[in-house]
Amino acid sequence: MSGLKNSPFGKRLRATYQDNEEDGPRRNRQRVNPIFYTATSSTTKDATPESPITTRDMYGDRFVPSRDAGDMRTSYHLMDESGPSTPSKSRIIPTESDALKEQANAIFTSILHTEVTPPSPRRPTSPQRPTTSSSATTTLPPSTPTRKRIFHYTSPATSANPSTPTRRLDTPTDEAYSMSPVRAESRQLLESPHRQLRSVCKTPYRVLDAPDLADDFYLNLVDWSNTNVLGVGLGSCVYLWTAHNAAVSKLCDLAGSNDTVSSVSWVQKGTLLAIGTLSGRMHIYDANTLQVQRSYNNAHTQRIGALAWNSHILSSGSRDRMVHHRDVREPTHRPFKRCAGHRQEVCGLKWARDGGPLASGGNDNKVCIWDLRGSKRASVAGSSTSGSGSVEDAGGSGSGDAPLWKFHEHTAAVKALAWDPHVSGVLATGGGTQDKHIRFWNTFNGTMLSELDTGSQVCNLIWSLTSHELVSTHGFSSTTAQNQICIWKYPTLNMVASLTGHTHRVLYLAMSPDGETIVTGAGDETLRFWNAFPKKEGGEKRETRLDYGRLIR
């Protein structure tokens, strides 16, 4: 073999092999057998994909899609594994959602977008050629472009661009000196102060057994008085639970008259408790003496599911579709006003706190606004439709029994009603299983302010006395999250917290007179007490020079 290598034939063979290596590209050249001079293709057994050189040369480039536009969580497979949302599930109540988690998710999404998205490079502006009047009219002939290297290396000192490495390194805040694993924009977002969000305790601090608590959407069996006494209707009895000493006493028992309690309601100030029954009777008891003060045996022809007080005026809503108003100071049993605005059972009644109008909700999916003072809005009689909701003009007629406003937006029974104690004239209403919406109304002009799809049946609504937040309780749902107690921030309608624990629909809701505690009742025959609005630390009243009341002698 040494003789063949040094022979003239071997030298010519090696020279031919070297010429083939220098002329042809490496990817397309043929492999030459130096002994037999046979050419083989580069895709033969010797050029398998196991060779890193061959794989890199053949597949050296790959397509990287741009993710600048779009949802970062979706692009990087961080979306929750829940199926596509349907119109009825546009707003799904999460099982463990609160404001702290939502804020953390928003910060994470912003940082992810900042870190993954490459910074946009600064493109230097190319100098424009000055055009003369003669060259503007003539077309320049095509010219051969000058040969320019793709990779051009220049000295940083010769560049006048302020973003050159030498200029940037003069800045102490440059990213080259940063010890943080994230960019400056993300670091600034993390170090910036954020609004302190309050955390709500997710477990009730007290749970009471409530046997025979009816699982009926149309009843109202729990109410909390201003004297800190909770009234609960259980079957044919009404029990009183005193908050300060947890004492329980029986107020009445209607088993002798073969009747069942269907609604209870405390007077705003005092110890009077109104009780409605399934047979249409209504009783007023004094909680101090445990004695009945007044009985209306023929208050309604069917069950009384809703009661509401306005000072000495007691309003009752019944399955007979009527709303009756009585003055408890008068000896007569006849109501001084009857209101007929619903075509089915009246299941919700709520007076405004300032003695203003009365709101009623019915099983006919309607919400009526009544004004017993005889006020009529200045508008043309007839029907009108606002820009954000369907409103029936019922106040232009001469009859004083017609509602001031009538809202038709809900598609299920409306039991949940709540007047905003912080903004006059704002009413929140909640729909049943087929509606699942909370809607906010301006009762001054009859327009809908906003709406919220909760994803489940809205059973009760109540406003916080210490903050501009709304509590809602829920029942049947088209999603996995059911029987929730949700706290919403108004007017942003962001969820502050969701409380779970009940195994049946949360049909009853009441708030303590100090506004800190809410109690919920459900068909699981339990009453749960939640510290939803605790006192703020250092919440003592500070003296201020703007408090001119303390300067009056």
Side-chain angles (χ1 to χ4, degrees):
M1 291 297 292
S2 60
L4 180 62
K5 184 184 300 184
N6 296 327
S7 64
F9 174 77
K11 293 180 180 178
R12 288 195 302 268
L13 189 63
R14 288 197 302 270
T16 306
Y17 178 71
Q18 292 176 359
D19 292 340
N20 291 337
E21 277 190 334
E22 295 175 357
D23 295 340
R26 184 169 184 174
R27 184 166 51 185
N28 298 326
R29 72 171 184 266
Q30 294 179 339
R31 301 182 70 254
V32 181
N33 193 323
I35 299 179
F36 302 103
Y37 197 68
T38 57
T40 58
S41 174
S42 61
T43 59
T44 57
K45 182 179 179 180
D46 296 336
T48 58
E50 296 178 358
S51 174
I53 299 177
T54 306
T55 306
R56 181 186 62 191
D57 292 341
M58 295 182 63
Y59 306 98
D61 297 331
R62 58 190 178 90
F63 174 71
V64 180
S66 175
R67 294 186 176 94
D68 292 343
D71 187 7
M72 301 301 297
R73 298 178 67 86
T74 306
S75 303
Y76 290 91
H77 308 285
L78 296 177
M79 184 65 70
D80 296 333
E81 297 182 357
S82 56
S85 59
T86 59
S88 62
K89 301 181 183 180
S90 59
R91 186 62 177 257
I92 299 178
I93 300 178
T95 55
E96 287 294 335
S97 173
D98 52 14
L100 295 175
K101 185 175 295 185
E102 290 183 2
Q103 187 185 62
N105 290 338
I107 295 176
F108 170 75
T109 304
S110 302
I111 294 178
L112 178 65
H113 190 279
T114 304
E115 292 297 318
V116 175
T117 305
S120 57
R122 297 181 180 178
R123 297 182 178 179
T125 57
S126 58
Q128 297 180 356
R129 296 183 178 179
T131 57
T132 59
S133 58
S134 59
S135 63
T137 56
T138 60
T139 305
L140 295 177
S143 59
T144 303
T146 58
R147 298 183 62 183
K148 190 175 181 180
R149 295 178 181 177
I150 297 178
F151 299 101
H152 183 60
Y153 302 96
T154 58
S155 175
T158 60
S159 177
N161 190 2
S163 63
T164 56
T166 13
R167 297 293 181 90
R168 289 192 303 105
L169 294 180
D170 293 339
T171 308
T173 59
D174 189 79
E175 293 185 0
Y177 307 113
S178 175
M179 301 295 292
S180 175
V182 296
R183 297 179 184 174
E185 295 84 356
S186 302
R187 190 169 61 254
Q188 182 180 4
L189 179 62
L190 289 172
E191 296 175 354
S192 61
H194 301 285
R195 184 170 61 92
Q196 188 67 24
L197 300 176
R198 68 180 185 91
S199 59
V200 181
C201 182
K202 298 299 184 68
T203 57
Y205 69 88
R206 187 189 297 270
V207 179
L208 299 179
D209 289 331
D212 297 332
L213 185 62
D215 187 14
D216 195 331
F217 177 79
Y218 299 97
L219 305 185
N220 294 273
L221 299 176
V222 177
D223 197 17
W224 208 325
S225 73
N226 70 323
T227 59
N228 212 8
V229 178
L230 185 68
V232 184
L234 302 177
S236 59
C237 302
V238 175
Y239 291 89
L240 303 180
W241 180 81
T242 307
H244 69 273
N245 58 5
V248 179
S249 59
K250 181 188 288 187
L251 179 64
C252 66
D253 189 352
L254 305 180
S257 58
N258 196 19
D259 211 346
T260 304
V261 178
S262 58
S263 58
V264 295
S265 179
W266 288 97
V267 68
Q268 288 97 334
K269 296 180 180 180
T271 59
L272 296 182
L273 178 65
I275 301 173
T277 67
L278 292 181
S279 62
R281 298 187 180 97
M282 188 166 58
H283 310 281
I284 300 177
Y285 278 82
D286 189 348
N288 285 338
T289 62
L290 304 182
Q291 299 295 325
V292 61
Q293 301 294 316
R294 184 71 58 86
S295 292
Y296 302 92
N297 293 326
N298 296 317
H300 287 273
T301 57
Q302 297 188 45
R303 72 178 179 188
I304 302 173
L307 294 170
W309 287 85
N310 181 20
S311 185
H312 53 272
I313 304 297
L314 177 58
S315 302
S316 57
S318 172
R319 200 172 187 175
D320 59 9
R321 304 172 296 177
M322 299 294 296
V323 177
H324 291 177
H325 306 279
R326 290 178 171 86
D327 191 339
V328 297
R329 300 172 300 179
E330 297 180 356
T332 178
H333 290 187
R334 296 175 58 86
F336 68 88
K337 184 178 284 293
R338 293 182 175 89
C339 298
H342 294 277
R343 297 183 178 180
Q344 293 188 34
E345 179 178 4
V346 179
C347 48
L349 279 179
K350 195 69 67 174
W351 279 97
R353 283 183 172 269
D354 55 356
L358 170 72
S360 64
N363 198 32
D364 56 354
N365 313 339
K366 304 297 186 294
V367 178
C368 296
I369 308 298
W370 310 86
D371 195 342
L372 301 187
R373 298 169 297 186
S375 301
K376 294 183 177 61
R377 53 193 177 91
S379 61
V380 181
S383 61
S384 62
T385 304
S386 63
S388 58
S390 177
V391 181
E392 179 180 334
D393 184 351
S397 61
S399 174
D401 296 336
L404 190 65
W405 298 101
K406 196 170 186 179
F407 304 123
H408 303 260
E409 280 297 300
H410 286 286
T411 57
V414 182
K415 173 193 175 185
L417 303 168
W419 291 93
D420 191 343
H422 309 286
V423 181
S424 180
V426 174
L427 174 68
T429 60
T433 307
Q434 299 300 323
D435 185 72
K436 305 182 182 66
H437 280 73
I438 300 175
R439 290 181 170 87
F440 301 88
W441 308 91
N442 184 344
T443 58
F444 291 145
N445 53 19
T447 58
M448 186 173 66
L449 301 175
S450 57
E451 61 180 351
L452 172 66
D453 186 1
T454 63
S456 60
Q457 178 188 32
V458 183
C459 301
N460 279 286
L461 292 173
I462 194 169
W463 288 91
S464 170
L465 302 179
T466 58
S467 61
H468 211 182
E469 294 174 343
L470 180 69
V471 182
S472 62
T473 63
H474 301 273
F476 297 133
S477 173
S478 56
T479 65
T480 56
Q482 297 186 13
N483 313 322
Q484 301 273 316
I485 301 114
C486 299
I487 304 177
W488 311 91
K489 189 70 177 177
Y490 186 82
T492 60
L493 301 182
N494 295 327
M495 181 182 292
V496 178
S498 63
L499 311 176
T500 58
H502 286 288
T503 58
H504 287 68
R505 296 182 296 173
V506 188
L507 299 176
Y508 311 108
L509 172 67
M511 180 177 288
S512 62
D514 58 6
E516 297 182 17
T517 305
I518 59 172
V519 58
T520 56
D524 55 8
E525 298 184 349
T526 61
L527 295 175
R528 298 174 185 263
F529 295 80
W530 314 82
N531 192 15
F533 305 100
K535 284 184 179 179
K536 297 181 180 179
E537 296 181 0
E540 292 81 6
K541 224 176 180 182
R542 297 180 179 179
E543 291 189 359
T544 172
R545 294 182 180 274
L546 299 179
D547 187 8
Y548 297 103
R550 65 183 181 87
L551 302 178
I552 300 177
R553 296 182 179 177

